[in-house]
């Protein structure tokens, strides 16, 4: 079997498959964008729900978070409540941005100025979530595997939970948002 190179125009939305150019149809791109945006929303709203539950006094898995987040959730001060409400609001908005960045019918048919603003905010959220999730997951894994020594007095149980669940959750959320944004780009923006 010979491997045949296929020349695909730079601005084309095609992928090479078994030596033939297969167009990435608008319907396929739309479906990928919708599924990724839905995944980002589920991950983000799940994170917001957990934060809200902890902020309202829930303790399920709170001890696995550690650090300032755990301390703030345990406080009953008005300032702590404001902090929880702000975190939950930011998470809800970040969860919804990838879906809002898609037009209602998957096309690019709604006002371009609003679309550009929403997409810019969605890219900021996706980059922040992916960056935070990556840095925190890698650093947590370095500590849990013994490559890097834990800080004196560190809650190693919370470090492990963050390395294996909470921080990868942010990473997956950010990656899902990134896929949604990439798949929903206008064809001539490629």
């Amino acid at each position: 079997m010979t491997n045949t190179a296929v020349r695909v125009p730079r601005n084309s939305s095609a992928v090479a498959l078994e030596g033939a150019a297969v167009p990435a149809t608008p319907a396929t791109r739309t479906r990928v964008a919708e599924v990724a945006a839905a995944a980002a929303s589920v991950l983000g709203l799940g994170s917001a729900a957990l934060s809200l539950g902890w902020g309202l006094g829930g303790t399920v898995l709170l001890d696995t978070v550690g650090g300032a987040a755990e301390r703030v959730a345990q406080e009953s001060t008005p300032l702590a409540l404001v902090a929880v409400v702000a975190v939950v609001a930011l998470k809800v908005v970040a969860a919804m941005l990838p879906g809002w960045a898609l037009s209602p019918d998957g096309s690019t048919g709604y006002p371009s100025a609003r679309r550009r603003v929403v997409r810019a905010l969605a890219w900021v959220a996706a980059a922040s979530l992916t960056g935070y999730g990556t840095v925190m997951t890698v650093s947590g894994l370095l500590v849990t595997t013994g490559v890097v020594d834990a800080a004196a007095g560190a809650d190693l149980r919370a470090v492990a939970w963050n390395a294996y669940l909470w921080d990868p959750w942010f990473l997956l959320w950010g990656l899902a948002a990134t896929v949604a944004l990439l798949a929903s780009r206008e064809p001539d923006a490629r």
Side-chain angles (χ1 to χ4, degrees), residues 93-128:
V93 170
M96 302 309 293
L97 276 170
W100 292 339
L102 308 177
S103 62
D105 63 355
S107 70
T108 58
Y110 68 91
S112 61
R114 185 180 96 191
R115 179 176 170 82
R116 282 193 299 275
V117 169
V118 170
R119 288 183 68 79
L121 290 172
W123 274 112
V124 168
S128 299

Side-chain angles (χ1 to χ4, degrees), residues 6 8 12-25:
V6 176
V8 178
S12 170
S13 55
V15 295
L17 179 67
E18 304 245 351
V22 177
T25 66

Side-chain angles (χ1 to χ4, degrees), residues 41-170:
S41 292
V42 166
L43 290 164
L45 292 174
S47 181
L50 284 166
S51 294
L52 180 61
W54 292 328
L56 295 175
T59 58
V60 174
L61 296 177
L62 180 59
D63 61 331
T64 66
V65 176
E70 183 179 359
R71 285 190 301 279
V72 168
Q74 291 173 337
E75 291 178 10
S76 301
T77 65
L79 184 58
L81 181 60
V82 168
V84 168
V85 168
V87 166
V88 169
L90 281 172
K91 285 183 175 184
V92 168
V93 170
M96 302 309 293
L97 276 170
W100 292 339
L102 308 177
S103 62
D105 63 355
S107 70
T108 58
Y110 68 91
S112 61
R114 185 180 96 191
R115 179 176 170 82
R116 282 193 299 275
V117 169
V118 170
R119 288 183 68 79
L121 290 172
W123 274 112
V124 168
S128 299
L129 289 163
T130 303
Y132 174 83
T134 300
V135 168
M136 297 306 289
T137 299
V138 169
S139 59
L141 291 172
L142 290 173
V143 171
T144 60
T145 58
V147 174
V148 173
D149 291 331
D155 180 350
L156 295 179
R157 181 172 181 266
V159 170
W161 273 85
N162 279 283
Y164 294 107
L165 177 64
W166 304 124
D167 297 331
W169 187 324
F170 283 101

